[in-house]
Amino acid sequence: MRSLLGTATLAALAAPALPSPASWGPVRTALTPAVCTPALSGLSDRPHVALTFDDGPDRRSTPLFLRTLDRLGVRATFFVLGRHLADHGLVGEMAAAGHEVGVHGWDHRPASLHGPRRLRDDVARTRDLVEDATGRPVQWHRPPYGVITGASTWAAGQAGLRTVLWSAWGRDWERRATPSTVVALVEQQLEPGGTVLLHDSDRTSAPGSWRTTLRAVEQLVPQWLDRGLAVGPLADHWGGYDTRRSSLSTTSA
């Protein structure tokens, strides 16, 4: 079964308009360690949790996440949308606080609704805005909804970025989500070496959902630290980076 689904995954990655099964949570977790790069599964062999947030930056909510993470003594990776980067100051604050900033896309439409050139241009201009604001090279791309197509993979590669997904999420965007449901779902899915997907904005989620996420983070991070897990950005999740954009070296961090 795994070999059949693995073939389907690779075929989808090669087809410009077809979403990959890697965007479907359980299938992605089961398949990608075997058929794709570790980044697609979000899994590392380290006792480390990569904490990631999508859909910002948002002047209403993102600063509260920055303050909470600072109080907890951890850093994270924020995947941002280019259309909301007019406030360069906030992105600069994120980087100055030690957080990593990645590209989520220009808008939140699935990659399958964009043509290859449009995707390439949107990813590249979002990357450029982030680098202008932070003064640092961008390493990562996470497509909206986790929908991977051949075109999205090509567009990320053209921008010098690696595509990364996740291994655990809290479904924190849902109207019915509560801090306890988010915590329970993340903990149910998370293994050491996992990547957690949460959201620091409610722009594409239920109104006010970021408050639920923030309270869940206040519970999750101390639990992970108490279990002896390091918590940090994707830059700490696998091997150290060499000087070439988006290339992983074999050195341990």
Side-chain angles (χ1 to χ4, degrees):
M1 181 65 172
R2 171 171 288 195
S3 62
L4 290 175
L5 288 173
T7 301
T9 299
L10 294 176
L13 287 171
L18 186 62
S20 168
S23 66
W24 309 333
V27 175
R28 179 189 63 250
T29 301
L31 293 180
T32 52
V35 302
C36 296
T37 66
L40 285 185
S41 69
L43 296 173
S44 164
D45 61 1
R46 299 181 176 190
H48 181 269
V49 176
L51 180 57
T52 70
F53 297 93
D54 287 5
D55 293 0
D58 190 328
R59 180 51 75 178
R60 299 170 305 156
S61 53
T62 301
L64 297 176
F65 283 84
L66 299 182
R67 287 200 285 272
T68 296
L69 294 173
D70 184 64
R71 176 170 52 82
L72 294 171
V74 300
R75 302 296 176 260
T77 301
F78 289 83
F79 286 95
V80 299
L81 295 168
R83 66 181 300 178
H84 301 304
L85 291 182
D87 185 354
H88 281 195
L90 180 52
V91 180
E93 290 173 27
M94 295 159 71
H99 300 289
E100 187 176 35
V101 184
V103 169
H104 197 31
W106 183 259
D107 54 33
H108 206 263
R109 298 176 70 206
S112 53
L113 299 182
H114 292 297
R117 292 184 180 179
R118 170 70 180 275
L119 280 172
R120 178 197 61 192
D121 293 346
D122 285 354
V123 169
R125 64 174 169 161
T126 302
R127 177 206 63 198
D128 291 346
L129 286 171
V130 171
E131 293 185 347
D132 287 347
T134 65
R136 301 175 186 175
V138 177
Q139 302 285 356
W140 301 106
H141 170 248
R142 174 178 285 161
Y145 304 103
V147 172
I148 299 174
T149 65
S152 72
T153 303
W154 173 79
Q158 289 290 300
L161 307 181
R162 297 175 67 92
T163 298
V164 61
L165 297 180
W166 60 88
S167 64
W169 63 10
R171 300 187 71 89
D172 56 330
W173 64 87
E174 295 181 336
R175 189 177 301 275
R176 63 183 179 179
T178 67
S180 60
T181 66
V182 173
V183 168
L185 185 55
V186 169
E187 292 288 67
Q188 176 186 337
Q189 299 169 348
L190 184 65
E191 300 176 3
T195 296
V196 176
L197 163 66
L198 296 169
H199 298 81
D200 62 306
S201 172
D202 62 1
R203 285 196 179 100
T204 63
S205 307
S209 58
W210 62 266
R211 295 184 177 88
T212 295
T213 305
L214 190 62
R215 290 166 60 192
V217 168
E218 292 171 339
Q219 298 178 50
L220 285 166
V221 170
Q223 290 176 189
W224 297 333
L225 296 176
D226 287 346
R227 296 207 299 267
L229 297 173
V231 181
L234 287 163
D236 299 340
H237 204 49
W238 290 284
Y241 290 103
D242 66 19
T243 56
R244 294 169 298 173
R245 181 197 301 274
S246 77
S247 296
L248 285 168
S249 74
T250 56
T251 344
S252 296

